[in-house]
Amino acid sequence: MAQSTTSTLDDLIAPIVQEAMFVASETAIMPGLVKTFNVPANAGKILQVPIYGVQTIATDVGEDGNLTSSAISTTKADIELTEAGIMTTLTDMARNHSVSNVVADLGRVFGDAIAKRHDRKLTSLFSSFSTSINTAADTQSELTVEDLFKAYATLKAANVPGPYYGVFNPKAIYNVKKGLTNTFNPNSNIDVINSAMSNGFVGRIAGIDIFESSNVVESSATTSVNAVFSRDALGVAVAQNINIETQRDASLRADEIVASTRYGANVLHATYGVKLAVDNQI
């Protein structure tokens, strides 16, 4: 009589999580360019972020003069948590006889999926920025270096705090890269650019650190909405980066593996970003 066995994936969960977390940090660009809030347990599903308005210029005062009290008021931006996830079914046959490293494969798939979800959620908010330097007719025009200088000047003139980041669909930034192939400055001094983000970093143009990502949402088959923005323009709240659970299906001789994340994203300052809807074709 054949020996009975009990199958479990408990010893594989930690390696899958580690691989998924690594891939997510290597793949995601946007979370490192915006305000990030960690949400503790039992803090509610909606994070309220206080927003301070722009203050007037300080006034000169004489040696024995009194300053007049200025009213400082705040508004708020709500970031509501939501869940996103991905599930796959791993059969015993695949786990025990696959020629590849199933644990690493699952970690890569899950990490990439979570990273894309976070990035796409944030880039979809570009269209909510209140300022655009081009018109509807320009959505079929190629992005130019002049557009980048205009975006920088627009934010600087409005006293938007730097540094400024530009995130573009690869097809949108292609025309700029083609014209300035050898003139990018790779020596950016921002701390946010580390090994996890360097793959998406293009260079610095007009005082803007330029990144490219396929996760920039395409508004149509020929147009994508890209943006130049300050870190304080957008916010992402993370209650749980990646959680992985399993459930055994004995009759199928397989395990359901679920990767999930709890997060939220919203616009904090709509005036702290400039949207650029341009041609998205090579």
Side-chain angles (χ1 to χ4, degrees):
M1 183 176 180
Q3 182 180 0
S4 299
T5 61
T6 300
S7 177
T8 179
L9 278 181
D10 290 347
D11 58 331
L12 300 182
I13 295 301
I16 292 176
V17 172
Q18 290 173 0
E19 182 71 15
M21 292 290 290
F22 173 76
V23 171
S25 66
E26 287 284 310
T27 305
I29 290 177
M30 288 298 299
L33 304 180
V34 302
K35 292 281 287 186
T36 301
F37 305 92
N38 293 318
V39 183
N42 302 318
K45 294 191 297 183
I46 298 179
L47 177 68
Q48 295 184 341
V49 181
I51 306 297
Y52 289 86
V54 178
Q55 299 303 307
T56 58
I57 300 175
T59 57
D60 293 334
V61 63
E63 181 180 350
D64 57 350
N66 288 325
L67 289 171
T68 302
S69 177
S70 298
I72 299 178
S73 59
T74 63
T75 56
K76 66 180 179 67
D78 292 337
I79 302 180
E80 184 174 1
L81 295 177
T82 187
E83 287 187 302
I86 180 174
M87 185 193 82
T88 189
T89 301
L90 176 63
T91 65
D92 293 346
M93 182 70 76
R95 183 183 65 182
N96 296 326
H97 301 287
S98 174
V99 297
S100 64
N101 186 335
V102 177
V103 173
D105 290 344
L106 287 178
R108 282 192 293 271
V109 170
F110 289 161
D112 188 57
I114 297 299
K116 286 182 177 179
R117 180 65 270 165
H118 287 180
D119 266 10
R120 285 180 176 263
K121 180 68 172 181
L122 286 162
T123 61
S124 69
L125 297 173
F126 288 170
S127 58
S128 299
F129 289 149
S130 58
T131 305
S132 176
I133 65 169
N134 53 6
T135 65
D138 293 324
T139 58
Q140 300 305 313
S141 300
E142 290 188 327
L143 181 72
T144 65
V145 175
E146 181 182 357
D147 293 330
L148 299 179
F149 276 99
K150 286 182 180 178
Y152 179 89
T154 299
L155 295 177
K156 201 68 173 177
N159 291 320
V160 175
Y164 301 148
Y165 307 122
V167 178
F168 297 86
N169 188 285
K171 293 180 180 179
I173 197 66
Y174 168 76
N175 186 60
V176 173
K177 292 172 66 178
K178 179 179 66 176
L180 295 175
T181 303
N182 298 316
T183 60
F184 288 110
N185 174 16
N187 299 315
S188 175
N189 60 1
I190 58 173
D191 295 334
V192 72
I193 299 173
N194 51 33
S195 59
M197 295 184 177
S198 60
N199 288 336
F201 181 58
V202 174
R204 173 170 287 183
I205 309 174
I208 303 168
D209 289 291
I210 305 294
F211 295 81
E212 61 179 353
S213 172
S214 60
N215 292 324
V216 173
V217 177
E218 297 180 350
S219 54
S220 72
T222 59
T223 305
S224 64
V225 180
N226 312 272
V228 175
F229 55 92
S230 165
R231 179 185 295 276
D232 293 337
L234 303 174
V236 59
V238 179
Q240 178 177 272
N241 276 311
I242 296 179
N243 181 60
I244 294 182
E245 298 179 79
T246 65
Q247 179 171 290
R248 181 68 181 170
D249 188 335
S251 64
L252 189 61
R253 291 92 59 213
D255 292 274
E256 288 184 354
I257 306 178
V258 177
S260 61
T261 180
R262 287 197 299 273
Y263 78 107
N266 203 358
V267 176
L268 302 183
H269 293 274
T271 59
Y272 279 18
V274 174
K275 55 188 173 184
L276 299 95
V278 293
D279 174 72
N280 200 48
Q281 299 182 96
I282 296 178

